[in-house]
């Protein structure tokens, strides 16, 4: 009940802010665009962003400054009460002024089509089904599909650190006792909703559904604005969900030659691909299922793109051509004069506050807007937006992270084996078919505005092939996915225009669509197979281990465990000395040092070495599980048990916990 109220209040707050940002818009056909498909997701995104930050800040103050053991209680009480009073005041005032009709007209501008409602209603059903398909509770167990649980492990641990614990100042549960380098606010939101009474799967899935559906709406609206085409909007969403690529065609050809195509298609449960780590699902719809906070960040990026398209339209509407036009867009007074400084500042604040929701989305958004700025009038607004965004990002970084948030380095080629220009182009063709390379042809058929938009959408993908920000270059795939998602708008509109032509053009449009979606469609089949009833990790939710840890450990306690991924221990929200190393390593933590110390503690035969290491690492509890290994080393319990008292043993006798603080 309270979780639903929270989301409603966030939406109402967001709608007021979005109403300031969005003036009337015109589509490609000159008609007013039905902005409900922008206002709905933008209101959810903006309102949730501001309200959740407010709850976090008040809760942080309650915990750190006032010593509250349940800081989410005052955090939610203060913020939700203020939001409820504000909403009541706003709508009471409007009712007295009879502004309800005006408000409805402002909320739904232009033509509202029933087929759009049917389309998004269908998408709502689809997104809800797939989110619960891969992550749900049943009969007291939490189930996570094989293709997603690896990402859910650190996410659920972070959620539980707030809903079950007091994670202020915030730490990373899989590398406790340190700062938090990973963007965690989406998980804080889900954890807060669980605290407010939602079951964990409903809490996580509800905001994930609203985020992904909202991004679909924004993509559709962008396509509709560029072309006025309903079909273009629908195809844009389809092309985003079902990726392009050569993997399926190569896979089919190989198994036709082997004579086992149909049996292989029926039995295969792994993502296909012939490039490095493509079998992880780096390029398909699975990304939006396991990295759920990405869609939330992209809603806000899409809002910025929607707003600043007006700046691009102004810049590309000038009659000059060639170098004269380009010179005037860079050096003229009109090119730099502010068009709407207040809007730029507010949008910069929104993007800046999104940094710890999804940092990759913010970086990708700034890169796209940098491309927009080249072609736009009002460049001063872009500069102000960038300064404010970076300023808020740095402020959060200084608060949450000790040391550097990222370590930028030049790294050409991304995951391409042949790190030459031709090797990178061949790699792009392998992972996306002609989706990226075919853009060269698409450029010849676009007007100046669409060309500017297309080129700008490429900037995050280009960035991915030249710069690495983290120890794990694999994470750059998100920048390519961001470019891919927005470029789907151009391909969707192109296919829709082609289909509206003569018979041969319709046939060509169908072939184009199949080529762009075939690999992604098979990937989706694999998602269904790899997350079905026999391909799921399950965690018992009423575990006595979870309950004891939640009741007895505080946020400043540090628990040494095996290298757990997701289980009854991580579900308690406690701070682990070292959970599954990849999560912390890819976020920038020194996992090698802690792994060495953990091995020493679990394997040493010397009492003093054990005591000195435990004290040095500030470990307050040691968990031992029957038959455990750590980094392929057989572990021993006898030294631990003779030096520290056993404070807990699980009902099945499998797990024992020793307290190191006498």
């Amino acid at each position: 009940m309270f979780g639903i109220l929270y989301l409603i209040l966030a939406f109402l707050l967001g709608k007021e802010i979005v109403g300031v940002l969005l003036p009337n818009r015109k589509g490609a056909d000159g008609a007013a665009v039905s902005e409900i498909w922008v206002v709905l997701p933008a209101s959810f995104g903006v309102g949730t962003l501001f309200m959740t930050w407010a709850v976090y800040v008040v809760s942080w103050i309650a915990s750190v400054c006032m010593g509250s053991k349940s800081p989410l209680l005052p955090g939610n009480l203060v913020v939700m009460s203020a939001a409820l009073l504000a909403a009541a005041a706003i709508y009471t005032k409007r009712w007295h002024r009879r502004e309800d009709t005006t408000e409805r007209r402002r909320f739904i501008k232009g033509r509202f089509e029933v087929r759009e409602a049917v389309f998004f209603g269908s998408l709502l059903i689809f997104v809800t089904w797939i989110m619960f398909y891969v992550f749900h509770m049943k009969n007291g167990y939490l189930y996570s599909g094989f293709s997603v649980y690896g990402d859910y492990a650190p996410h659920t641990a972070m959620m539980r650190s707030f809903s079950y614990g007091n994670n202020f100042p915030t730490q990373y549960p899989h590398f406790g006792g340190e700062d938090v380098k990973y963007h965690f606010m989406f998980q804080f939101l889900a954890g807060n909703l669980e605290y407010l009474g939602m079951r964990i799967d409903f809490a996580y899935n509800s905001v994930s559904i609203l985020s992904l559906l909202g991004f679909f709406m924004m993509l559709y609206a962008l396509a509709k604005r560029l072309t006025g085409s309903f079909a273009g909007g629908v195809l844009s969403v389809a092309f985003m969900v079902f990726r392009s690529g050569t993997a399926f065609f190569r896979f089919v050809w190989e198994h036709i030659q082997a004579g086992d195509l149909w049996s292989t298609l029926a039995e295969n449960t792994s993502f296909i691909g012939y490039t490095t780590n493509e079998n992880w699902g780096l390029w398909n719809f699975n990304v939006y299922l396991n990295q759920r906070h990405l869609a939330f960040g992209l809603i806000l990026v899409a809002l910025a793109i929607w707003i600043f398209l007006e700046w691009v339209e102004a810049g590309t509407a000038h009659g000059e051509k060639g170098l004269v036009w380009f010179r005037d867009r860079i050096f003229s007074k009109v090119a730099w004069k502010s068009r709407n400084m207040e809007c730029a500042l507010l949008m910069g604040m929104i993007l800046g506050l999104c940094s710890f929701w999804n940092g990759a989305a913010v970086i990708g958004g700034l890169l796209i807007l940098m491309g927009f700025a080249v072609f736009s009038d009002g460049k001063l607004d872009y500069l102000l937006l960038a300064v404010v965004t970076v300023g808020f990002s740095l402020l959060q970084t200084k608060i949450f992270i000790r040391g550097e948030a990222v370590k930028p380095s030049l790294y050409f080629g991304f995951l391409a084996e042949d790190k030459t220009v031709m090797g990178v182009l061949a790699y792009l063709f392998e992972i996306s078919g002609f989706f990226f390379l075919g853009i060269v042809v698409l450029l010849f058929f676009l007007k100046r505005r669409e060309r500017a938009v297309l080129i700008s959408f490429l900037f995050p993908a280009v960035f991915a092939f030249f710069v690495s920000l983290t120890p794990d270059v694999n994470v750059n795939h998100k920048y390519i996915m961001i470019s891919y998602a927005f470029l789907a708008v151009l391909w969707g509109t192109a296919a829709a225009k082609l289909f509206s032509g003569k018979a041969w053009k319709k046939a060509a449009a169908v072939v184009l669509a199949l080529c762009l979606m075939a690999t992604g469609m098979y990937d989706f089949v694999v998602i269904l197979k790899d997350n079905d009833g026999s391909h799921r990790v399950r965690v018992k939710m009423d575990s006595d281990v979870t309950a004891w840890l939640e009741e007895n450990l505080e946020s400043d306690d540090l628990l040494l465990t095996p290298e757990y991924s997701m289980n009854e221990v991580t579900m308690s929200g406690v701070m682990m000395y070292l959970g599954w190393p990849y999560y912390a390593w890819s976020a920038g933590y020194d996992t090698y040092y802690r792994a060495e110390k953990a091995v020493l503690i679990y394997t040493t035969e010397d009492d003093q070495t054990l005591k000195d290491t435990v004290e040095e690492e500030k470990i307050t509890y040691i968990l031992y599980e029957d038959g455990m290994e750590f980094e392929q080393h057989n572990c021993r319990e006898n030294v631990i048990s003779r030096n520290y008292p056993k404070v807990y043993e699980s009902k099945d006798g499998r797990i024992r916990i020793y307290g190191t603080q006498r």
Side-chain angles (χ1 to χ4, degrees), residues 80-141:
M80 290 178 68
S81 298
L84 191 59
L85 290 172
I90 290 170
Y91 284 94
T92 300
K93 182 179 179 181
R94 285 187 181 152
W95 185 81
H96 284 302
R97 292 186 177 182
R98 300 294 189 270
E99 293 182 358
D100 55 324
T101 302
T102 303
E103 173 66 11
R104 283 197 300 271
R105 288 174 179 171
R106 185 178 70 84
F107 185 73
I108 306 176
K109 300 168 185 171
R111 299 168 298 177
F112 177 83
E113 300 182 35
V114 174
R115 61 181 178 175
E116 292 179 330
V118 172
F119 173 59
F120 287 115
S122 302
L123 281 179
L124 173 60
I125 295 171
F126 165 72
V127 173
T128 302
W129 165 70
I130 194 64
M131 290 296 180
F132 277 96
Y133 183 78
V134 300
F135 184 77
H136 63 271
M137 277 187 64
K138 184 179 180 182
N139 298 327
Y141 287 89

Side-chain angles (χ1 to χ4, degrees), residues 478-494:
K478 282 179 279 192
Y479 301 116
I480 299 173
M481 291 293 287
I482 290 169
S483 284
Y484 193 103
F486 286 109
L487 286 170
V489 170
L490 280 305
W491 279 113
T493 55

Side-chain angles (χ1 to χ4, degrees), residues 234-245 248-249 434-435 484 509-524:
V234 172
L235 286 172
S236 298
V237 174
F239 290 160
M240 176 201 151
V241 173
F242 303 115
R243 62 127 173 175
S244 177
F248 178 72
F249 302 102
F434 56 81
F435 186 92
Y484 193 103
V510 171
V511 172
L512 172 65
L514 288 175
C515 289
L516 288 174
M517 295 195 300
T519 297
M521 292 172 73
Y522 185 69
D523 282 338
F524 189 77

Side-chain angles (χ1 to χ4, degrees), residues 270-501:
S270 301
F271 293 123
I272 57 175
Y274 299 86
T275 61
T276 303
N277 297 335
E278 191 174 355
N279 60 340
W280 291 6
L282 289 180
W283 311 115
N284 64 48
F285 184 64
N286 194 64
V287 171
Y288 294 96
L289 298 179
N290 58 25
Q291 293 284 312
R292 297 184 173 198
H293 47 314
L294 177 60
F296 182 89
L298 291 180
I299 287 177
L300 303 178
V301 171
L303 175 62
I305 289 171
W306 177 270
I307 291 169
F308 279 87
L309 264 178
E310 183 178 312
W311 278 247
V312 178
E313 288 161 354
T316 55
H318 295 281
E320 303 93 339
K321 295 183 178 180
L323 292 176
V324 175
W325 173 83
F326 185 78
R327 180 199 63 196
D328 290 345
R329 299 286 58 73
I330 301 297
F331 300 107
S332 69
K333 183 178 180 180
V334 172
W336 283 89
K337 184 179 179 181
S338 173
R339 295 175 58 85
N340 191 330
M341 186 178 297
E342 293 79 7
C343 179
L345 292 172
L346 180 55
M347 199 63 238
M349 181 180 181
I350 290 170
L351 288 180
L353 288 174
C354 189
S355 295
F356 268 77
W357 292 74
N358 193 284
V362 175
I363 293 171
L366 287 178
L367 289 167
I368 291 172
L369 291 173
M370 182 177 70
F372 274 22
V374 174
F375 301 97
S376 295
D377 287 345
K379 288 180 173 53
L380 180 60
D381 294 332
Y382 289 97
L383 180 60
L384 291 172
L385 178 145
V387 169
V388 173
T389 300
V390 172
F392 272 95
S393 298
L394 290 176
L395 176 62
Q396 294 162 69
T397 299
K398 292 296 182 183
I399 293 172
F400 294 122
I401 298 177
R402 294 193 291 270
E404 298 178 349
V406 295
K407 296 180 180 179
S409 61
L410 293 177
Y411 187 90
F412 179 73
F414 183 47
L415 295 176
E417 293 184 6
D418 179 8
K419 298 187 186 305
T420 64
V421 173
M422 293 307 297
V424 166
L425 293 177
Y427 176 74
L428 267 176
F429 179 71
E430 283 192 83
I431 65 172
S432 69
F434 56 81
F435 186 92
F436 281 106
L437 301 183
I439 283 171
V440 177
V441 177
L442 198 58
L443 281 170
F444 288 100
F445 298 95
L446 298 177
K447 297 179 181 178
R448 181 183 287 176
R449 178 187 63 164
E450 286 73 28
R451 288 178 183 174
V453 169
L454 184 152
I455 292 171
S456 301
F457 286 167
L458 279 171
F459 277 33
V462 173
F463 178 84
F465 282 92
F466 283 89
V467 179
S468 178
L469 298 178
T470 67
D472 183 15
V473 73
N474 283 286
V475 301
N476 273 18
H477 81 103
K478 282 179 279 192
Y479 301 116
I480 299 173
M481 291 293 287
I482 290 169
S483 284
Y484 193 103
F486 286 109
L487 286 170
V489 170
L490 280 305
W491 279 113
T493 55
K497 285 182 178 179
L498 191 62
F499 192 78
S500 64

Side-chain angles (χ1 to χ4, degrees), residues 523-536:
D523 282 338
F524 189 77
V525 171
V526 172
I527 289 173
L528 298 182
K529 290 181 179 180
D530 203 33
N531 294 276
D532 64 15
S534 60
H535 295 83
R536 290 170 180 161

Side-chain angles (χ1 to χ4, degrees), residues 250-262 264-265 274:
R250 181 174 171 181
F251 183 80
V252 167
W253 176 244
E254 287 180 351
H255 288 282
I256 286 176
Q257 291 180 310
D260 61 352
L261 176 62
W262 298 115
T264 303
L265 288 176
Y274 299 86

Side-chain angles (χ1 to χ4, degrees), residues 107-281:
F107 185 73
I108 306 176
K109 300 168 185 171
R111 299 168 298 177
F112 177 83
E113 300 182 35
V114 174
R115 61 181 178 175
E116 292 179 330
V118 172
F119 173 59
F120 287 115
S122 302
L123 281 179
L124 173 60
I125 295 171
F126 165 72
V127 173
T128 302
W129 165 70
I130 194 64
M131 290 296 180
F132 277 96
Y133 183 78
V134 300
F135 184 77
H136 63 271
M137 277 187 64
K138 184 179 180 182
N139 298 327
Y141 287 89
L142 181 67
Y143 292 89
S144 301
F146 281 1
S147 77
V148 294
Y149 85 91
D151 282 88
Y152 293 173
H155 296 170
T156 52
M158 181 64 80
M159 288 154 53
R160 278 291 172 88
S161 75
F162 292 110
S163 60
Y164 275 26
N166 178 8
N167 195 5
F168 301 95
T170 302
Q171 307 169 52
Y172 191 62
H174 276 264
F175 202 88
E178 295 285 342
D179 55 6
V180 57
K181 301 182 190 298
Y182 190 81
H183 35 228
F184 65 90
M185 283 299 292
F186 189 87
Q187 289 74 35
F188 170 74
L189 168 63
N192 188 42
L193 291 177
E194 186 185 18
Y195 176 82
L196 290 172
M198 282 189 178
R199 205 170 68 182
I200 187 171
D201 56 336
F202 282 98
Y204 195 32
N205 285 330
S206 62
V207 290
S208 302
I209 291 164
L210 293 172
S211 297
L212 187 55
L213 179 65
F215 185 50
F216 286 158
M217 288 179 176
M218 296 295 291
L219 278 186
Y220 170 87
L222 285 168
K224 189 77 179 289
R225 180 174 173 182
L226 289 172
T227 65
S229 168
F230 170 77
V234 172
L235 286 172
S236 298
V237 174
F239 290 160
M240 176 201 151
V241 173
F242 303 115
R243 62 127 173 175
S244 177
T246 63
F248 178 72
F249 302 102
R250 181 174 171 181
F251 183 80
V252 167
W253 176 244
E254 287 180 351
H255 288 282
I256 286 176
Q257 291 180 310
D260 61 352
L261 176 62
W262 298 115
S263 60
T264 303
L265 288 176
E267 297 170 4
N268 178 50
T269 59
S270 301
F271 293 123
I272 57 175
Y274 299 86
T275 61
T276 303
N277 297 335
E278 191 174 355
N279 60 340
W280 291 6

